Amino acid sequence: DPRVIAPALALAIRAEADIRLRATAIRALGQAGDAQAVRPLLAVVADRATPRNLVLEAVAALGTIGSANAFDAMLDLFASTSPPVRAAAMQAAARMDAEGFLLALSSAERDRDWSVRAGLAGVLATLPADRARAAVEDLAADPDTRVQAAALRALVRIGAPDADRRLLEALAAPDFALRAAAATLVGERRPAEGVARLAAAYARGD
């Protein structure tokens, strides 16, 4: 409803307003998808006094709106000291400009926080498979098994031709969480040899 935009904008940028009301207003702006909300939302993100949860709400709203005018600001947030903000910015940037996001990602250093890398796998899974597969495969080789598990899910989602082989191999991984993720995906996909490999894993007490 266009009538919601003006009051929601006014409330979203009022620093003295109740934080819960501001969050509700920011979400409403994202759902409305109106491009006139982009600049005020960017101002909320840029204000160092903005509480982090509101920054996250604003970034998510910008991603929902999907305006390319906010893309560079999302790239700047890749350097945020907050892992949740970095992860949210990556998701928003991918929605705004998938090709630009992949280009930026190709020249970026690996994020130091495992949760951001795991979140990145989920973001990549929403992009065209032929463009995202190489980056997901890199994450599948991550030293953190939590990231590997997220990458396995992403490889399945994008339809990687070697996904089933990777899943079956992961059933024998030393890490329990990675084995559990692989077992869930094998149960969903039911690849050839899947039942036998699962049975063998359970017989080992995995």
Side-chain angles (χ1 to χ4, degrees), residues 93-116:
R95 287 183 171 183
M96 294 169 185
D97 181 353
E99 286 297 323
F101 168 71
L102 289 169
L103 181 62
L105 189 64
S106 68
S107 60
E109 294 183 2
R110 188 182 73 180
D111 195 278
R112 58 190 177 276
D113 190 279
W114 76 267
S115 66
V116 178

Side-chain angles (χ1 to χ4, degrees), residues 10 19 36 44 50 57 75 79 102 112 124 126 142 158 167 191:
I19 192 169
Q36 69 178 304
V44 170
T50 301
E57 293 283 1
L75 294 187
L102 289 169
R112 58 190 177 276
L124 290 168
T126 67
D142 193 275
I158 65 175
L167 292 178

Side-chain angles (χ1 to χ4, degrees), residues 132-145:
R133 183 182 168 193
V136 180
E137 288 176 341
D138 286 344
L139 291 170
D142 193 275
D144 194 303
T145 54

